[in-house]
Amino acid sequence: MNAIIVGADGSRHSLGAVGWAAEEAALRRSPLRVVHAVPPWLYDRNVDPRLVSVREWLLAGGQEAIGEAVETARARVGGEVDVAGEVVPGGAARTLLERAREASMVVVGSHGVGTVAGLLLGSTALQVVAHTRVPAVVVRHVEPVLRQEIAVGFDAPPAGDSTLAFAFEEAAMRRARLRAVHVWSDPGTGLGGMTPLVYDPEQIAEEQTHRLNEVLAPWRDKYPEVQVVIEIVHGRPVRILAGVSARADLLVVGTRGLGGFTGLMLGSVSHGLLHHAHCPLAVVPPPG
């Protein structure tokens, strides 16, 4: 199954994620499955009679939320995409992760009001990004501005291959420029080398640019239509990449230090970008 899974909780931010996911599904020619999670007790027929009316109201609200989300997706892409919605009992993050096991991608909003399930989508987004086995996209802004650029932050192969594969594919599908960004803070960080006592920043940048070109060479051969811009920057990864995201349609990073920044866990880079990126953020897990 190559479907794209998107979470909907009835909030404005989740509808923005649904719209983004619908357009992505159209680009990939994939079906779109919209998922809304509700508390499992709503399906318990032995619930306290005093809560029956509450249960019916919440279930009706769930159906309304999923109906609005499906309508939003179809309005965005018309008949180009097979769109279906589902109300599922369970926690939002667990439900999305289970549905995403055989999907190609999972999409969530950066945060929401949790109008029906009572769940803050921000915590859901964090859990999904931390545990997903497929690329996860967190849509931070409801109405992104198209800039025709995909940005990717990474270190070196083989760990970064899945991140680069996703970034180049996105750039090719969107006919967009790809900005490959490597952020370094010490001479021995990222693209390799031992830390000298005295070093020349310009020389380090030149060496890393050369190695970065070597890393990108096979991907340029595979996607000759994609224009690639290399950017080597000294500084803090979250701050630099957040700035880069302000001029991108999508920012792509790896996770757990295996596909993006070696040694930096989700809590430092990906977690920071969940709060500070100015465009949708794609977090790509390592293969397997």
Side-chain angles (χ1 to χ4, degrees), residues 236-287:
R236 297 181 178 180
V238 172
R239 175 182 242 175
I240 297 298
L241 290 175
V244 168
S245 73
R247 58 180 185 266
D249 298 318
L250 180 69
L251 173 61
V252 183
V253 297
T255 184
R256 298 185 184 278
L258 295 175
F261 293 87
T262 300
L264 294 178
M265 302 299 285
L266 176 64
S268 57
V269 176
S270 299
H271 189 192
L273 290 171
L274 284 173
H275 295 283
H276 298 292
H278 297 282
C279 69
L281 172 68
V283 181
V284 183

Side-chain angles (χ1 to χ4, degrees), residues 2-244:
N2 65 342
I4 292 176
I5 306 297
V6 59
D9 73 345
S11 71
R12 177 170 171 265
H13 282 85
S14 76
L15 289 178
V18 168
W20 189 94
E23 293 183 350
E24 182 74 7
L27 284 173
R28 293 178 175 269
R29 300 179 181 178
S30 300
L32 179 67
R33 298 294 177 256
V34 186
V35 177
H36 176 78
V38 296
W41 69 265
L42 296 182
Y43 290 86
D44 184 1
R45 293 297 178 182
N46 297 318
V47 69
D48 188 324
R50 293 171 293 181
L51 297 178
V52 170
S53 60
V54 176
R55 179 183 66 187
E56 292 177 351
W57 176 73
L58 289 173
L59 286 173
Q63 291 296 336
E64 181 180 349
I66 203 70
E68 183 181 15
V70 169
E71 183 179 343
T72 296
R74 289 174 176 165
R76 188 69 67 94
V77 294
E80 296 180 52
V81 176
D82 172 19
V83 181
E86 183 181 13
V87 177
V88 183
R94 181 183 294 273
T95 297
L96 289 171
L97 289 168
E98 288 177 350
R99 290 296 187 275
R101 284 178 180 173
E102 297 182 2
S104 60
M105 181 187 301
V106 58
V107 182
V108 294
S110 59
H111 60 279
V113 296
T115 52
V116 176
L119 296 173
L120 182 64
L121 194 57
S123 62
T124 298
L126 182 58
Q127 292 178 60
V128 168
V129 169
H131 299 290
T132 181
R133 298 180 182 179
V134 300
V137 177
V138 180
V139 180
R140 283 189 40 80
H141 297 276
V142 175
E143 295 295 339
V145 179
L146 294 181
R147 300 178 176 88
Q148 293 300 301
E149 179 169 298
I150 303 298
V152 56
F154 71 106
D155 44 19
D161 277 356
S162 58
T163 308
L164 283 177
F166 185 90
F168 267 91
E169 183 180 23
E170 286 289 329
M173 287 191 305
R174 298 167 182 268
R175 298 180 180 179
R177 177 176 56 249
L178 179 64
R179 184 172 300 273
V181 184
H182 172 65
V183 185
W184 64 280
S185 56
D186 294 305
T189 301
L191 289 178
M194 297 181 64
T195 305
L197 295 177
V198 179
Y199 59 90
D200 181 356
E202 292 185 4
Q203 181 181 354
I204 292 172
E206 183 179 346
E207 292 174 351
Q208 292 184 344
T209 299
H210 175 72
R211 297 191 65 181
L212 193 52
N213 273 310
E214 292 181 338
V215 170
L216 294 173
W219 296 102
R220 282 172 158 162
D221 291 341
K222 184 175 181 178
Y223 296 94
E225 73 278 18
V226 175
Q227 177 189 356
V228 180
V229 177
I230 292 178
E231 192 168 334
I232 305 291
V233 188
H234 179 270
R236 297 181 178 180
V238 172
R239 175 182 242 175
I240 297 298
L241 290 175
V244 168

